[in-house]
Amino acid sequence: MIQNDRLRDIFAKALLARSFEARLIKLTAEGFLPPLLHPGAGQEVAQIAALSALKRDDPVLYSHRGVAYMIARGTSLSAMIADMAGRAGGTNNGKGGIMHVVDLPNGIYGESGTLGGGLVVSVGMGMALRRRDPGRVVVHFFGDGASNRGTFHEALNWAAVQKLPCIYICENNGWAVSVPTSVSTAVENIADRAAGYGIPGVVVDGADPDAVMAAVANAARRARAGEGPSLIEIKATRLLGHYAADPQDYRADAASVAQRDPLAALRRRVIELGLLDEAEIEAMTAAHEAEIDLAVEAVKAAPPLDADQAFTDLYA
Amino acid sequence: MIQNDRLRDIFAKALLARSFEARLIKLTAEGFLPPLLHPGAGQEVAQIAALSALKRDDPVLYSHRGVAYMIARGTSLSAMIADMAGRAGGTNNGKGGIMHVVDLPNGIYGESGTLGGGLVVSVGMGMALRRRDPGRVVVHFFGDGASNRGTFHEALNWAAVQKLPCIYICENNGWAVSVPTSVSTAVENIADRAAGYGIPGVVVDGADPDAVMAAVANAARRARAGEGPSLIEIKATRLLGHYAADPQDYRADAASVAQRDPLAALRRRVIELGLLDEAEIEAMTAAHEAEIDLAVEAVKAAPPLDADQAFTDLYA
Amino acid sequence: MRTISYGQAINEALAEEMDRDGDVILYGLDVAAWGGIFNITKGLLERFGPERVFDSPISESVMVGAGVGAAIMGLRPVVELQYADFILVAGDEIFLKAGMWRYMHGGAFKVPLVVRLPSGATGAGPEHSTCPEAYVMHSPGLLCAVPSTAADAKALLKEAIRLDNPVMFFEHRRLYQKRDEVPEGDVTLPFGKGVIRREGRHVTVVAWQYMLSRALKAAELLEQEGIEVEIFDPRTLSPFDSGTLIESVKKTGACLVVEEGYRRLGVGAEIGAILMEQAFGYLDRPFRRLAIPDVPMASVKPLVDRVLPSVEAICDVCRELAA
Amino acid sequence: MRTISYGQAINEALAEEMDRDGDVILYGLDVAAWGGIFNITKGLLERFGPERVFDSPISESVMVGAGVGAAIMGLRPVVELQYADFILVAGDEIFLKAGMWRYMHGGAFKVPLVVRLPSGATGAGPEHSTCPEAYVMHSPGLLCAVPSTAADAKALLKEAIRLDNPVMFFEHRRLYQKRDEVPEGDVTLPFGKGVIRREGRHVTVVAWQYMLSRALKAAELLEQEGIEVEIFDPRTLSPFDSGTLIESVKKTGACLVVEEGYRRLGVGAEIGAILMEQAFGYLDRPFRRLAIPDVPMASVKPLVDRVLPSVEAICDVCRELAA
Ligand SMILES: Cc1ncc(C[n+]2csc(CCOP(=O)(O)OP(=O)(O)O)c2C)c(N)n1
Ligand SMILES: Cc1ncc(C[n+]2csc(CCOP(=O)(O)OP(=O)(O)O)c2C)c(N)n1
Ligand SMILES: [Mg+2]
Ligand SMILES: [Mg+2]
């Protein structure tokens, strides 16, 4: 069982991620931000729990679903908004928007915009860690849909046969845009694919942060000990559309899905455990909103990126 | 157990394939043919047994290892020599050499020169068969090395989830050029990867034609019944080098491997079973050599391809 | 004549060809239930059923490779890659399989495959924004269509589906909503025949798709200054109608190519080389290119706008050339 | 000076750089125990051990993608793809990952990756025979080296390994045995600086690698006819030394590019366009290209020879241009 202060921290970060993302969506609807965010609502608790089982500087390649990975690591909110808004103060100078947030001190190593592209990159990161920085581990998040890319197979085989310090976390939310996992994927559990690489494959409930943390901690221990990679499948819940304005016509459970919100469950739990009460959570939420307000204001006050930034950062 | 006449036929074809390939190697050493053949010696019995479990017009995408696939289907010997030699009378007009033999009436649909490239092509062939010609099945041969390409994963998943009539036969000969399978591949049995696609995965001994035929017959039955693809791993023996002139310095078992020759084992067996005696086998061999002589002569008498063939066959 | 959008025109072409020929199938990410993330395949699942219109796994190598396999066995697959950039994700399958399967097997097969490729800069970042036509045009065995109007999109797609060779069919995303007159009925256009979109005597501008609309705007502005721009839309890049272009350049003596691909070895490079080889005596001013200045497409709009050839830039170059 | 082969020169460059910098690692198919199917990496496993020199699975996407990952974390990987054609097998990783990882993350990373690419026509069929430099040259973020001599191969590879940007390093297989003078010691060459291999005043021929040897032969023959050919070897294609070329063309007034890639949108197209834009007044005869005539490379030798630019063809074009 997760210690109470850890659980409280996971909850607080997930709450911040939810509020922050809601604000981004609002700013998108208002036209201040471009509509390029894939909301992570429903998946934050597991994402944050997973990262809380690692060290702060263990490198992360994140998935496109949401911003909780960055929140978990403490990336500046205003920097992320600036990335989306094309203002000064972002992390990637307008090059990558919210898809390519980078924050090396906090171990955020960005993302491949082509799904599955990060899987192969992570293998090399593992090689380098083993050689230059033994004991560190790289973690790569990706979706169930991306697990059908050939890169999944190549990367897991290679990482396994060379026993690289890599953790592969598949967030199976049942959908790839409008395509249900059952239509695209021949197995129910992506974790079963671990058998093809002789590595551990475990399934955990994305609403159960204890289970997620335990699985990742175990994978990290293995990886740090030179025993190679692990595949962890998180059964996740995509509460919203593929992107914020997705009408989700294809989705029968669109209305009912909110009842499966892991953050709501965690909220009940922290209250039950007496870690926080409703009033404290409200205060926390208000503090988050204030923090977000500040970040938004900072970005609105920042100058737009110089358009000539289009020409920088290509060659070292 | 395979019926006796079937076993005799497999043996006869494997014997022909062995002699034919030896001749190709000789002609290569003499400079009449380019050194582009990957000898299949040691793998013929299983290749031929596998194909003898299918109908003659079930399409085959073959692997680069040897010529037994074509021998099994009855492709003209002289056409194959002509393909290598660049003479008139070949199957691909100088475009593809021995790597891209095509013989549609006998179900030989060619090969991808990039390893694993045929895996994805086979999926579409399966789609087309199901729609236009239900009851037929496509079979794709590939090596253990190629099973580490991402296309393996993408193809098997897709074929499985759409229940396509495809049979995947991995000939695991323990090597990819100079790289042992254990260095490149995280599992001992490629067949274990079937678990990642919810399809049957079986391992058979490449020296046991009964087992090979049974496995393929079973896969074909499933495929024809609309139950989807299967993965069959043949534990195979590469008797010679990656290509004929390969010095094989990297190979500790280079000298002893001949003792594991499945064709020699089958020879003993057909003799034991009384299907053929030594004299008959010698006569058969002599007849094969004569057939090969004729084919070689025909090719030597054929005109070289018009060099302007370089420009044909690109667009329909 | 009725007007419909470029997107609708593509939808009509698909529906008509699927109606006409039961061997035409359609698959890709989100093309079935959703009707395509750009809404191009709406209604086709309902009309032609899940055997002929289906969603696929995120497996671009199979998407294209299976297209080759299905095509050589007699189907006529139409595959949608979600973004044109992804031709590089399925590189072996596009360039070495679709482009070469027929050739390397001595002509034994036909490969009637169409790969639909939504392209163009919409701020979706470096891997979802490009116009990668040059990779295709460089590669033997592939045909390449770049329709600029709704009518052309419909007619060229119908033709593409009927051709026995693999076609990379670029659909510019900024054109999907653009409405044009589109004739009813079974109209096709041949590959390799471009069209003069506007006549003029001072400068020939070659442009297609989104850049064509900018070139047309520039021409209108320049008209007021007395500069008459002739605009050539090649419609297909492989084959490329150099004949019509050369005729135009013979008349104007100057040529500017405006494209949304990278400049270095972009389509304009080939056009320049063709002119140098075949219209050398007629060009009396330096050949010019406007293109993406060899940087990836950034994610935020001002940076994207900075590198897209602008109407003003087109005007400027035309003025120089007309001077 | 001692002479060693082009292959040995590459081997020396690898050994010296691995010696100098413990972050340089080397992997690929058959590069360790075998020493490379073309024998280029012989002895390196023994010398640097299996942690730094290792064989890989047949997984081209990881071969390149892991190179990017290792490079951004501080290693300097040198990856051998078995055939240059396979850049298209790892298309996403070469073009969208190696070329763009730095850019799309706002310059946070360096990508000191070298991908060694044995190229060229040896009758190994359509997928194992090409010189796909044009795909690379078109793509932002990638550097591209095409060494033609043993000395250049060594010096450019050493430079490539030290550069902080991804380099596609083309090694022509027909040159591996070719011996040349190679200085001992730590010599590097800068990228973007070509060299005049032979001076002449009538025609400038641009050629590299195997085609350079043909161009040089043609020049010798033509000399006897009084035609003086100047030969420019660009050494790297990205960046491309247009300055030196333009100087040469200013002198000769005529230019022929001879290349082993496909003609349409081949490297020659860009060179032609550059000349048209920047040396327009100096060229007084049509620009010419000799290249693979837009068909895949067949498998049998006479068909391959038919499409490779020949010494005679080079002579013929030079004669026309000099006439
Ligand atoms: C190679 C590639 N194919 C397609 C896309 C377009 N795309 C972006 S997100 C997405 C769905 C991904 O599904 P999944 O991996 O399950 O992640 P989720 O969105 O469910 O979190 C698709 C198809 C892409 N970016 N890259
Ligand atoms: C994509 C790709 N990578 C590398 C090669 C070069 N190559 C040809 S055969 C071979 C070894 C294949 O090993 P395996 O699949 O086990 O088949 P085997 O040769 O053992 O029959 C290699 C590496 C290739 N043709 N295609
Ligand atoms: Mg998903
Ligand atoms: Mg093998």
Side-chain angles (χ1 to χ4, degrees), chain B residues 92-93 95-96 100 102 104 109-112 114 120-121 124-125 128-129 131-132 154 158 162 310 312-316, chain C residues 22-23 52 54 56-57 59 61-63 65-66 69-70 73-75 92 97 101-107 109 141 165:
Chain B
N92 57 45
N93 302 329
K95 309 308 196 304
H100 300 286
V102 61
L104 300 189
Y109 276 69
E111 186 189 2
S112 166
T114 49
V120 293
V121 172
M125 293 172 71
L129 289 181
R131 184 163 174 79
R132 292 174 51 103
E154 294 197 1
W158 187 310
Q162 298 192 351
T312 61
D313 296 332
L314 184 54
Y315 298 101
Chain C
D23 286 328
R52 293 183 63 196
F54 51 90
S56 86
S59 301
S61 290
V62 183
M63 291 171 70
M73 298 299 286
L75 293 182
D92 185 29
K97 301 289 94 71
W101 197 268
R102 174 180 169 82
Y103 185 84
M104 67 194 176
H105 294 100
F109 303 102
N165 295 304

Side-chain angles (χ1 to χ4, degrees), chain A residues 64-65 113 115 143-146 173 175-177 242, chain C residues 60 82 86 128:
Chain A
H64 58 278
R65 187 126 320 274
L115 294 166
D144 50 290
N173 60 11
W175 296 97
V177 193
H242 176 65
Chain C
E60 276 77 7
Q82 209 147 52
F86 299 170
H128 297 72

Side-chain angles (χ1 to χ4, degrees), chain B residues 133-210:
Chain B
D133 213 351
R136 276 168 84 204
V137 49
V138 55
V139 58
H140 184 283
F141 291 87
F142 55 97
D144 49 290
S147 85
N148 291 322
R149 280 285 325 277
T151 50
F152 170 90
H153 179 66
E154 294 197 1
L156 269 72
N157 177 62
W158 187 310
V161 75
Q162 298 192 351
K163 295 207 182 306
L164 297 177
C166 304
I167 302 177
Y168 294 103
I169 302 186
C170 179
E171 299 178 62
N172 183 348
N173 59 13
W175 295 95
V177 192
S178 70
V179 182
T181 309
S182 58
V183 166
S184 64
T185 310
V187 281
E188 202 187 316
N189 295 328
I190 309 294
D192 291 349
R193 295 182 164 169
Y197 317 106
I199 60 172
V202 297
V203 176
V204 291
D205 176 357
D208 181 350
D210 299 85

Side-chain angles (χ1 to χ4, degrees), chain C residues 124-188:
Chain C
E127 305 138 296
H128 297 72
S129 294
T130 63
C131 287
E133 291 106 73
Y135 297 96
V136 173
M137 195 175 169
H138 179 55
S139 306
L142 301 175
L143 305 184
C144 177
V146 287
S148 300
T149 67
D152 281 13
K154 181 169 177 189
L156 286 170
L157 182 52
K158 288 169 70 88
E159 177 78 4
I161 293 172
R162 296 181 197 185
L163 285 171
D164 283 332
N165 295 304
V167 177
M168 301 297 118
F169 195 86
F170 287 90
E171 304 172 359
H172 198 291
R173 284 183 288 151
R174 291 215 199 179
L175 300 182
Y176 276 143
Q177 312 306 327
K178 205 172 151 261
R179 299 179 70 85
D180 273 308
E181 295 197 334
V182 178
E184 314 252 5
D186 190 30
V187 179
T188 62

